[in-house]
Amino acid sequence: MPADLEQANERTQLLLHVANDRRLSVVQDEQAEAQSILSSHISKEERALSTVPVGERLPYNDYTTIDWLHDLVKDSFRYRGIHHESGIRNRIFAAFDSCQGWIASALIGVLTAGVAFLVDVAEATVSDWKQGYCTKIVFSNRETCCNDRHPLIAGNDAGEDCQAWYPWSSAYWGAFAIYMGFALAFGIISSSVTMLTKSNLPAAAPGRGDQSADIAAGGDQGVVGKSMYLAAGSGIPEIKTILSGFVIPHFLDFKVMAVKAVGAVFAVATGMCLGKEGPFVHISTCIAYLVGMCFPKYRENGRKMRELLSAGCSSGLSVAFGAPIGGVLFSYEEISTYFPRKVLWRAFLCSLFAAVVLKELNPTGTGKLVLFETSYGTSYQPIHYLVFVLLGIAGGLFGGVFCKANFLWSKSFRKYSIIKNHPIFEVFLVVLATVLLQYPNPLTREPGDVIIKNLLVDCRGSSGSWVCEQEAMEKRSGYIGWLAYGTIVKLVLTTITFGCKVPSGVIIPALDGGAFFGRLIGQWIPSISPGIFAMVGAAAFLAGVSRMTISLCVIMFELTGELEYIVPHMIAILVAKWVADSISPSGVYDLAQAVLGHPFLDLDHALGLVQSQRDSTLVECLIPPPQTMQEITLQVPRSGLVLRHILEDKLNLLKRRGLMDAGLVLVQDGMLQGYLAEGELDFGLNELGKVWAKDTTRVKVLPLRTQTPDSEVETGFDLSHFVDRTPLTICAKAPMEYCVEMFGKLGLRYLCVVEEGSGKLVGIVEILFDCDNTLVLSEELAFEACADLANEILESRKISARYTGPVLMNEFVGQNFRGVVKGMEDKYDFTLSDEQREGYVKQEEDRVIATLKAKAQPCVNVMPELEKLEKSKKYGLAVVSSSALRRVQASVEKVGQAKYFPTDHIFSAASSLEKPTTKPDPAIYLHACKVIGVKPGECCAVEDSKSGTLSAVRAGIPTIAYVGSYSGAEKQEEMAKLLIDNGAKVLMKDWANFDKCLAEIEAL
């Protein structure tokens, strides 16, 4: 056995006291095997945290949240271990460690540029195959074939007079049929390869959250997580989710990146209203992940990995638009949740390397980085500001309508089984609709980036493009119609295309729509190039769709090279954002997140919800219902040892609720002691648990605070090193804004709510009500009904004394009729047989129930309070009475209170116990707590009698004394003093004051 296992440490110290025990060698062998399992699952840096209160963690489970604070501490341990060592070798290694982020960022930029080069060249070639082929080199696109522009070489512009390009057909319908055939084939290929990335996301169980349904009912159902196609869409919504701290399994794998690249080539080649710019962001993030996995510094730390991913995102936009600065700003503004200054610098370097390498690779053959270079040579006048505002309004309308329409389309059309179950068929239909609508228009027949290039052209030069030819004509009605048609078609087709199961982005289609509209408006603006308005309109429409602002403005400058038009872009972009926000508060990526169902905390949106509440909201509103509190709370004895089967039951409950990254809150003597995450609990019980024999009944979860017999400790089954002894807490009375800020800015996985003043884990989870004269005005009616029966008993014993209802109640209030009979036996010195006594009890029960069903009324003001408690879902509600169960049920049913109390939460001292009793015996309260699953200290009782108060107090339950059912101020004062003297904590004279009284109990 390794020497370090024989040394005394936190997990072996008690074993030293039984060195001569013959079981010692067995325990040590089990510990050695457990240590081996831990070493194979937990990194060296993580193991170091087992010696500090934060505890160690397993690698994050799929589809769960990372712990930002834990990873921060973990990285600090790693940093100290490297940089605080002396010696030349250690200093060299420390220097390399400091440079790893820069090296990784540069490598990401280079690799992203390489992949982008391949995709750009392949897409241009495949897209042009719909219309013809190059007779010189069949794998050349039309521009390369005709203009002598080749990738890797900066060629000369030789014009469009091209003999080498051979169209498939010179006839319109023949060319149309071939165009459609290729487009449909490309669409099927793209969607088919995307199907290769189908993934079923993990799910613990079909859980019901905090619903009151029977959780166990779902235990035997098949556990099926939702399905997603990892390479479909742009990937930006998922990346936002990942960068916010969530783990989506396999989304950044090499397979997904390869499929994304291939699928994007054929998807764009179809001519559908989508672009490859969004997928480039996903591809660059995949590359960042794959590079990061080569460095242990990033591989073993979720927080550090997300820093690298944020930097990698910038290179995606850098290569997509030739916009290195815009890519950095895009990552900061649109995607990243956590973006410290060092990430900004590394994103800058990553984007720089991507741009430099892509320029040298020269995929367009121009030798320039600018994708849509323009030179209008004229400036705008103040009057044109109105046009820019108009373009902004139109862009906002386009974006707002698009976001709402696409969301409704996803929620309606894609819910049909034939579409949902056959995504390739949906792509087929969309491609078919796209070809039918776009091919007739000469402007929309080309790929999206070519459309923008054509619409931004300045016709004052010698350009021989179709656009310039049309604008040179005197009658341009047909051309204007094509522009208007193109604007409408782009809106419709982009709406139905975005979300199809192919790699796709929304950036290029939005730019297309804006360019169409801007060029259309420019036809009526004299003395200035219409291309300027196409350029500004493109920015406005994309701003309306995505809600980007600063990054978009910079991207447009880098995309066109027109610094002169920064101000028009700013005007149009801001106006578009304002208008779009008024229609649909969420941008396209936020709505896509909602459709996909990925968790994401938008801090601004969350604060907006809190601030929109009429009254100030407190953190206590977040306290789960009692059932949930019971399931997630683990009461730990002072020995620190918990029964193994209790932990297993708790784990099963968490899984049955559908939770995957929840955990158990450890409480000892009412005080919060720590948090044990579900993943670590599962691993400990099901992996480490295999090492320890099944007869190992106790598991250590907290340090020992009392002496414990050796027989309980020598098992050695220890999970305490997984426990976070430093969980973050917040006072229950704190404003909700505190909680939102803590989750949003600290990246918390959980937050424990503690009581004001005491620091105890909140808190009162169950309210136990007496029934007679507490909930229902039934005591006088009941004693009136049983007075006659009591007199019959006395008469049968030849006793002259007689009772009235008020006299009987005054003498025996708070007791059931069995207690009344026993009291009469003692007072008048006679004895009944058990059979006779139970016979009288049954008669009394029938008479009282009949009276209650006819005359019972609720106590004054109790109904509104019960309604508020029911709506809040904060507390469990139960009835604990001395009266017979049938009588209690009849009372609450008569006055309409039965809906507030589950049938199994109505308890009777006369009927619910194996041995019937009556208050002030605490047995009924203790029984109720056991059945409900709460400790007496977690409950609050409401009682109106001395016997009931004594019963609750003796059970250890803080009690509210209710005297509102007594007649007259003098009687109320008398009973108030009596109940307080017998242990009640708070006095309540009217149910309208219940909230205040309960708050006083919780503050104790």
Side-chain angles (χ1 to χ4, degrees):
M1 186 174 64
D4 61 337
L5 291 178
E6 297 180 349
Q7 298 175 2
N9 56 49
E10 185 181 7
R11 290 187 284 280
T12 62
Q13 56 180 339
L14 295 178
L15 295 177
L16 301 179
H17 298 294
V18 289
N20 296 323
D21 194 312
R22 62 183 179 179
R23 178 166 165 72
L24 176 58
S25 60
V26 176
V27 174
Q28 290 176 332
D29 288 342
E30 291 172 337
Q31 283 189 324
E33 187 175 350
Q35 293 287 346
S36 176
I37 294 175
L38 283 171
S39 298
S40 65
H41 285 79
I42 300 178
S43 66
K44 179 181 178 181
E45 291 80 6
E46 193 70 64
R47 292 300 303 276
L49 297 182
S50 66
T51 61
V52 295
V54 298
E56 58 191 4
R57 296 285 186 280
L58 294 168
Y60 295 113
N61 293 332
D62 292 337
Y63 217 61
T64 56
T65 309
I66 72 167
D67 191 332
W68 290 86
L69 292 180
H70 179 86
D71 283 350
L72 175 62
V73 176
K74 178 180 175 180
D75 187 60
S76 296
F77 268 69
R78 182 200 62 80
Y79 184 88
R80 295 187 192 103
I82 293 173
H83 290 263
H84 290 178
E85 297 291 334
S86 59
I88 297 178
R89 178 180 177 183
N90 289 323
R91 289 182 180 179
I92 294 174
F93 187 71
F96 174 70
D97 178 75
S98 298
C99 295
Q100 283 183 15
W102 300 102
I103 296 171
S105 297
L107 188 58
I108 293 167
V110 172
L111 294 176
T112 300
V115 175
F117 167 76
L118 296 176
V119 172
D120 282 340
V121 172
E123 180 272 322
T125 300
V126 174
S127 181
D128 285 342
W129 282 348
K130 300 194 302 295
Q131 301 184 53
Y133 66 95
C134 182
T135 56
K136 293 189 298 183
I137 305 175
V138 71
F139 292 106
S140 294
N141 60 53
R142 182 170 54 185
E143 187 170 14
T144 300
C145 186
C146 297
N147 296 343
D148 197 27
R149 292 178 177 175
H150 298 278
L152 304 176
I153 302 174
N156 298 317
D157 191 346
E160 290 290 339
D161 185 14
C162 181
Q163 300 297 324
W165 182 259
Y166 183 80
W168 296 113
S169 174
S170 57
Y172 176 86
W173 291 109
F176 172 74
I178 295 173
Y179 183 100
M180 176 180 289
F182 271 106
L184 291 173
F186 294 159
I188 292 172
I189 292 172
S190 179
S191 187
S192 297
V193 297
T194 303
M195 296 299 103
L196 299 176
T197 61
K198 182 178 181 180
S199 175
N200 292 317
L201 297 177
R208 297 177 176 269
D210 289 332
Q211 297 178 15
S212 59
D214 183 9
I215 296 175
D220 295 329
Q221 299 176 13
V223 180
V224 180
K226 63 181 180 182
S227 298
M228 68 177 294
Y229 298 92
L230 302 179
S234 68
I236 291 177
E238 292 88 347
I239 293 170
K240 289 183 67 174
T241 301
I242 291 172
L243 294 184
S244 72
F246 211 69
V247 179
I248 300 180
H250 308 299
F251 188 75
L252 301 176
D253 288 355
F254 177 82
K255 174 186 175 182
V256 176
M257 183 195 73
V259 170
K260 194 87 171 188
V262 174
V265 168
F266 286 97
V268 175
T270 62
M272 286 192 292
C273 289
L274 49 81
K276 58 182 181 294
E277 288 68 26
F280 273 165
V281 176
H282 187 182
I283 290 171
S284 66
T285 310
C286 289
I287 293 173
Y289 173 77
L290 296 172
V291 170
M293 292 297 289
C294 299
F295 296 87
K297 173 181 179 178
Y298 296 104
R299 181 177 62 243
E300 297 170 359
N301 192 299
R303 181 191 182 105
K304 297 293 292 182
M305 175 62 82
R306 276 153 184 79
E307 292 180 2
L308 194 63
L309 297 182
S310 293
C313 286
S314 64
S315 64
L317 257 291
S318 177
V319 298
F321 290 120
I325 299 177
V328 175
L329 293 176
F330 176 79
S331 179
Y332 170 75
E333 179 184 3
E334 187 64 26
I335 295 184
S336 300
T337 302
Y338 173 67
F339 205 85
R341 187 178 301 174
K342 63 180 178 181
V343 175
L344 176 66
W345 295 336
R346 290 170 185 171
F348 189 77
L349 178 71
C350 182
S351 192
L352 169 63
F353 268 80
V356 168
V357 173
L358 187 68
K359 184 177 184 299
E360 294 306 312
L361 291 176
N362 190 26
T364 61
T366 64
K368 298 179 180 179
L369 194 60
V370 177
L371 195 59
F372 306 128
E373 185 177 16
T374 58
S375 181
Y376 297 113
T378 60
S379 186
Y380 49 89
Q381 302 300 320
I383 190 64
H384 295 141
Y385 287 138
L386 296 177
V387 183
F388 300 143
V389 170
L390 173 63
L391 292 175
I393 294 173
L397 292 173
F398 177 94
V401 171
F402 165 77
C403 289
K404 278 189 171 294
N406 181 255
F407 184 77
L408 293 175
W409 181 264
S410 299
K411 287 293 187 181
S412 57
F413 179 76
R414 293 193 176 113
K415 293 299 181 182
Y416 290 112
S417 58
I418 191 172
I419 300 299
K420 184 178 181 180
N421 299 328
H422 302 88
I424 298 179
F425 179 64
E426 180 192 4
V427 174
F428 178 88
L429 294 178
V430 172
V431 173
L432 182 63
T434 300
V435 173
L436 292 175
L437 291 174
Q438 288 197 155
Y439 189 84
N441 187 346
L443 290 171
T444 57
R445 198 175 299 168
E446 302 288 349
D449 54 349
V450 177
I451 292 175
I452 298 175
K453 184 177 179 180
N454 291 338
L455 292 173
L456 296 187
V457 67
D458 181 14
C459 293
R460 293 177 307 149
S462 58
S463 175
S465 69
W466 186 85
V467 170
C468 293
E469 291 176 358
Q470 296 297 313
E471 291 183 352
M473 300 171 61
E474 291 186 5
K475 295 182 179 181
R476 293 181 290 176
S477 57
Y479 169 67
I480 291 175
W482 285 129
L483 290 174
Y485 177 82
T487 304
I488 297 172
V489 165
K490 283 295 177 183
L491 173 60
V492 173
L493 291 180
T494 305
T495 299
I496 66 174
T497 302
F498 189 69
C500 285
K501 299 303 182 287
V502 293
S504 60
V506 75
I507 295 177
I508 286 294
L511 292 174
D512 285 346
F516 269 112
F517 184 78
R519 194 88 192 188
L520 175 65
I521 295 298
Q523 301 306 305
W524 290 280
I525 311 297
S527 70
I528 190 170
S529 174
I532 295 174
F533 302 108
M535 176 177 62
V536 176
F541 275 48
L542 180 54
V545 169
S546 67
R547 314 301 159 84
M548 293 190 294
T549 54
I550 301 174
S551 59
L552 177 56
C553 193
V554 175
I555 287 172
M556 292 304 299
F557 153 59
E558 295 182 289
L559 192 63
T560 60
E562 287 286 357
L563 184 60
E564 174 73 16
Y565 298 98
I566 287 291
V567 173
H569 281 135
M570 293 174 68
I571 294 173
I573 287 170
L574 279 177
V575 172
K577 176 176 171 54
W578 292 336
V579 173
D581 282 343
S582 67
I583 299 174
S584 173
S586 300
V588 64
Y589 300 127
D590 296 327
L591 289 175
Q593 279 183 306
V595 171
L596 294 170
H598 297 317
F600 179 77
L601 176 62
D602 187 324
L603 186 56
D604 293 334
H605 179 66
L607 283 175
L609 290 177
V610 173
Q611 292 168 352
S612 66
Q613 301 297 315
R614 181 179 296 274
D615 300 319
S616 178
T617 308
L618 302 181
V619 172
E620 63 184 0
C621 295
L622 298 177
I623 298 173
Q627 180 179 344
T628 305
M629 288 294 295
Q630 175 190 349
E631 293 176 4
I632 66 175
T633 303
L634 180 65
Q635 300 291 339
V636 183
R638 296 178 68 85
S639 65
L641 302 176
V642 178
L643 292 175
R644 184 171 181 171
H645 75 84
I646 292 179
L647 291 175
E648 292 172 344
D649 292 342
K650 291 284 187 181
L651 177 62
N652 289 332
L653 286 172
L654 292 177
K655 289 184 175 182
R656 287 175 180 174
R657 296 179 66 81
L659 303 176
M660 294 187 63
D661 58 352
L664 298 179
V665 181
L666 308 187
V667 178
Q668 197 173 70
D669 298 332
M671 299 298 294
L672 174 65
Q673 295 293 333
Y675 183 87
L676 178 57
E678 179 182 352
E680 281 68 39
L681 176 61
D682 193 356
F683 173 80
L685 293 176
N686 296 321
E687 296 296 331
L688 295 181
K690 296 176 182 177
V691 176
W692 307 100
K694 283 296 183 182
D695 59 358
T696 305
T697 59
R698 295 180 182 272
V699 181
K700 180 182 177 183
V701 294
L702 289 176
L704 302 177
R705 296 180 61 185
T706 59
Q707 292 297 323
T708 305
D710 290 342
S711 59
E712 291 187 350
V713 181
E714 67 179 32
T715 60
F717 195 172
D718 185 2
L719 297 182
S720 63
H721 48 94
F722 284 133
V723 174
D724 181 3
R725 296 291 308 280
T726 60
L728 267 70
T729 62
I730 188 170
C731 176
K733 300 299 181 181
M736 185 66 75
E737 289 83 353
Y738 285 12
C739 184
V740 174
E741 286 285 293
M742 292 177 73
F743 272 105
K745 293 185 175 178
L746 295 180
L748 303 182
R749 296 183 82 184
Y750 53 86
L751 187 61
C752 299
V753 182
V754 296
E755 291 179 345
E756 180 185 16
S758 69
K760 294 183 178 179
L761 186 73
V762 174
I764 299 299
V765 298
E766 193 82 17
I767 303 177
L768 309 176
F769 301 90
D770 180 42
C771 179
D772 299 323
N773 274 23
T774 301
L775 293 174
V776 183
L777 292 172
S778 56
E779 287 281 24
E780 292 184 3
L781 296 174
F783 278 102
E784 177 185 329
C786 68
D788 293 339
L789 185 57
N791 292 332
E792 290 178 16
I793 296 173
L794 293 175
E795 184 177 358
S796 69
R797 295 294 165 175
K798 309 300 183 182
I799 299 172
S800 60
R802 295 292 183 267
Y803 284 103
T804 62
V807 172
L808 191 67
M809 183 175 70
N810 186 61
E811 187 171 341
F812 296 103
V813 65
Q815 298 187 39
N816 55 33
F817 193 67
R818 185 177 288 102
V820 171
V821 173
K822 288 184 177 179
M824 291 169 55
E825 289 181 75
D826 294 338
K827 182 175 180 178
Y828 297 106
D829 193 23
F830 67 89
T831 303
L832 296 176
S833 65
D834 291 342
E835 184 178 350
Q836 290 175 316
R837 190 180 301 113
E838 293 305 315
Y840 284 125
V841 169
K842 182 65 171 63
Q843 291 183 51
E844 182 268 350
E845 186 177 322
D846 292 337
R847 295 187 187 186
V848 171
I849 289 175
T851 302
L852 292 175
K853 285 184 175 181
K855 301 179 180 180
Q857 295 292 326
C859 289
V860 178
N861 290 330
V862 70
M863 297 302 288
E865 296 304 315
L866 290 176
E867 185 67 23
K868 285 195 294 185
L869 290 170
E870 170 66 18
K871 287 183 178 179
S872 74
K873 303 294 183 183
K874 181 178 177 182
Y875 306 98
L877 306 180
V879 178
V880 181
S881 175
S882 283
S883 302
L885 185 61
R886 288 177 56 230
R887 168 179 160 178
V888 177
Q889 291 173 334
S891 297
V892 297
E893 288 173 1
K894 171 61 173 65
V895 299
Q897 295 174 355
K899 60 183 179 180
Y900 302 119
F901 304 101
T903 305
D904 57 352
H905 279 205
I906 299 179
F907 302 93
S908 163
S911 310
S912 301
L913 300 173
E914 184 176 347
K915 182 180 180 181
T917 183
T918 187
K919 298 175 182 178
D921 187 342
I924 186 58
Y925 271 112
L926 296 174
H927 172 75
C929 290
K930 181 179 179 181
V931 171
I932 296 172
V934 295
K935 299 178 68 174
E938 298 171 337
C939 302
C940 171
V942 185
E943 282 285 357
D944 71 297
S945 66
K946 175 183 176 180
S947 60
T949 300
L950 286 173
S951 177
V953 171
R954 289 170 180 174
I957 300 174
T959 304
I960 296 175
Y962 173 61
V963 297
S965 58
Y966 292 97
S967 300
E970 184 177 347
K971 182 63 175 178
Q972 288 186 1
E973 291 298 329
E974 176 189 343
M975 290 304 300
K977 183 178 186 305
L978 178 64
L979 299 183
I980 294 296
D981 288 344
N982 281 276
K985 300 294 185 182
V986 178
L987 177 65
M988 181 174 69
K989 294 185 177 181
D990 192 315
W991 271 106
N993 299 322
F994 178 71
D995 283 346
K996 180 180 178 181
C997 295
L998 183 58
E1000 292 183 39
I1001 289 290
E1002 291 182 320
L1004 294 176

